[in-house]
Amino acid sequence: MSQQTPAISPSSASQTAQGTEPSPVIAVSALAKRYDSGFEALKRIDLDIRRGEIFALLGPNGAGKTTLISIICGLVNATAGKVLVDGHDNVTDYRAARAKIGLVPQELTSDAFETVWNTVRFSRGLFGKRPDNSHIERVLKSLSLWEKRSNKLIQLSGGMKRRVLIAKALAHEPQILFLDEPTAGVDVELRRDMWEVVRELRASGVTIILTTHYIEEAEEMADRIGVINRGEIVLVKEKRELMRQLGRKQLTLHLQKPLASVPPALSHYPLTLAEDGSVLIYTYDAASEPATDSGEHVSISKLLNDIEDAGIRFKDLHTEQSSLEDIFVNLVRERQ
Ligand SMILES: Nc1ncnc2c1ncn2[C@@H]1O[C@H](COP(=O)(O)OP(=O)(O)OP(=O)(O)O)[C@@H](O)[C@H]1O
């Protein structure tokens, strides 16, 4: 985005009665959905979204992401349970709840022959908000759409169209923005561009919830990650904590001479041989490692000493940590 002015100005965070934990901006409790077909798409889901965070909702196809978001946004009725949006029940106080939310769908469904300016201005009117040209101008400028305001949607590039979707969702000054697969099918450059836009929105105080199939996207952007599988939230964690706890680290040693087997003196280490005995691999849980760098250094250096004492020489070594993708695949696989 090109300028500093926040695209929207969310109200200040409210606090709980105790004044300690900020109240969640979205509180989902015991939410269930059974479609008319009898299919149980959501099974008593509980989920809190924190004010001002970027929350990535990950899950395989058919896991229930769209159903969950559609219920929160009031587009689909729940079978049971409750959703509070900034304290407003999204059924009994629908208009107030919905006004807090901007929803960025995957595809532009607006009239292709309408101008950018009119499209975005019209979106604001849908929420019963008074026209505010200065707000629309701010939003368009913040999304680098100002120069294109008189262009018809059909004249825009794919990237610009995506920006119009975000502008439309921001037109009524929501505090919460849902992005459904924001970068599905876009090229790498545009993806980076969109990430930048989302980060800047967060910096202006907007809470962002995004669904994505791109684990790289969650890894890059999210403060917290929720994984949904078969209608259940199977995990919600800080991204950093998740990577630390579930991430595996691997130390790979390229040996000077191949080994036929791991020497008995090293049998108490989880070592495996690969590439015809010329590579020795040590795998360990990142969480079981001492938290400090110095602590980790001690355990690895002990291993290296023991390897040297066993008469093994190596020409190269490197370490790698599993990505969120590995973690996610393992998590979903475990529950199949
Ligand atoms: N209207 C409907 N009637 C019956 N079943 C439905 C309906 N809508 C969705 N479902 C089913 O509910 C499950 C969850 O669908 P949902 O679209 O929420 O998943 P998703 O996680 O968003 O998937 P994707 O990543 O493929 O978009 C799927 O098995 C889907 O077939």
Side-chain angles (χ1 to χ4, degrees):
M1 293 199 288
S2 58
Q3 67 164 32
Q4 297 305 312
T5 327
I8 62 169
S9 40
S11 63
S12 60
S14 52
Q15 305 282 314
T16 56
Q18 295 82 12
T20 47
E21 276 276 293
S23 59
V25 73
I26 293 178
V28 170
S29 45
L31 198 68
K33 175 67 185 176
R34 183 186 290 274
Y35 282 108
D36 292 343
S37 62
F39 185 80
E40 214 182 349
L42 296 180
K43 300 168 187 165
R44 290 185 63 83
I45 280 186
D46 295 305
L47 178 66
D48 282 351
I49 303 294
R50 297 175 185 161
R51 215 170 282 272
E53 72 176 340
I54 298 182
F55 185 90
L57 188 60
L58 290 175
N61 287 124
K65 301 181 292 293
T66 308
T67 303
L68 176 58
I69 287 179
S70 303
I71 292 176
I72 295 174
C73 295
L75 305 173
V76 168
N77 293 326
T79 311
K82 190 168 170 163
V83 176
L84 295 179
V85 181
D86 203 21
H88 300 281
D89 186 299
N90 81 335
V91 176
T92 58
D93 197 3
Y94 170 74
R95 283 177 74 84
R98 184 62 183 90
K100 303 276 177 186
I101 295 175
L103 175 60
V104 184
Q106 287 187 33
E107 305 252 319
L108 201 56
T109 50
S110 311
D111 182 356
F113 296 98
E114 195 49 271
T115 63
V116 170
W117 174 267
N118 284 345
T119 300
V120 177
R121 202 164 174 274
F122 179 70
S123 286
R124 182 178 173 89
L126 289 179
F127 288 87
K129 286 252 179 183
R130 276 185 292 117
D132 182 346
N133 288 352
S134 63
H135 175 69
I136 304 297
E137 181 176 338
R138 255 196 326 273
V139 167
L140 292 183
K141 284 185 171 167
S142 72
L143 289 160
S144 305
L145 283 170
W146 184 240
E147 307 303 319
K148 306 278 182 191
R149 64 189 177 283
S150 304
N151 284 40
K152 295 190 169 107
L153 300 182
I154 198 167
Q155 299 168 326
L156 299 180
S157 68
M160 287 292 168
K161 284 192 188 123
R162 295 252 170 182
R163 285 164 185 266
V164 172
L165 287 172
I166 298 181
K168 271 165 60 85
L170 292 175
H172 66 287
E173 299 167 70
Q175 290 178 32
I176 305 157
L177 195 64
F178 281 92
L179 293 143
D180 190 11
E181 298 277 344
T183 61
V186 308
D187 64 27
V188 174
E189 199 180 331
L190 180 56
R191 185 172 303 166
R192 302 236 155 242
D193 220 24
M194 295 293 288
W195 289 349
E196 194 52 35
V197 167
V198 169
R199 280 202 191 93
E200 290 184 24
L201 280 172
R202 199 261 305 262
S204 75
V206 188
T207 304
I208 312 264
I209 298 129
L210 57 94
T211 67
T212 183
H213 278 113
Y214 298 109
I215 292 172
E216 182 202 358
E217 187 154 272
E219 195 165 341
E220 172 81 24
M221 303 279 301
D223 300 308
R224 282 197 310 154
I225 289 177
V227 177
I228 182 168
N229 194 27
R230 296 170 181 231
E232 288 177 291
I233 299 276
V234 294
L235 176 139
V236 175
K237 265 204 178 9
E238 302 278 342
K239 179 185 64 191
R240 281 206 197 113
E241 180 72 358
L242 180 64
M243 310 250 337
R244 198 181 71 78
Q245 283 189 354
L246 298 180
R248 287 180 171 272
K249 284 189 171 181
Q250 203 168 67
L251 172 72
T252 305
L253 299 173
H254 294 269
L255 307 180
Q256 289 185 1
K257 284 189 198 145
L259 286 177
S261 60
V262 175
L266 299 174
S267 62
H268 58 290
Y269 287 110
L271 292 167
T272 51
L273 279 169
E275 294 181 31
D276 293 332
S278 61
V279 169
L280 192 59
I281 298 169
Y282 174 58
T283 308
Y284 53 104
D285 287 343
S288 65
E289 276 302 293
T292 63
D293 285 351
S294 55
E296 185 168 333
H297 183 72
V298 168
S299 66
I300 295 290
S301 69
K302 166 105 174 66
L303 169 70
L304 293 178
N305 278 339
D306 289 352
I307 285 175
E308 195 167 351
D309 289 349
I312 300 170
R313 300 287 173 265
F314 54 91
K315 47 189 179 192
D316 192 16
L317 95 175
H318 68 264
T319 58
E320 58 191 61
Q321 182 154 10
S322 55
S323 67
L324 188 58
E325 173 132 25
D326 305 329
I327 297 171
F328 175 67
V329 169
N330 285 334
L331 197 69
V332 172
R333 190 184 295 137
E334 270 170 27
R335 293 174 186 262
Q336 294 293 316

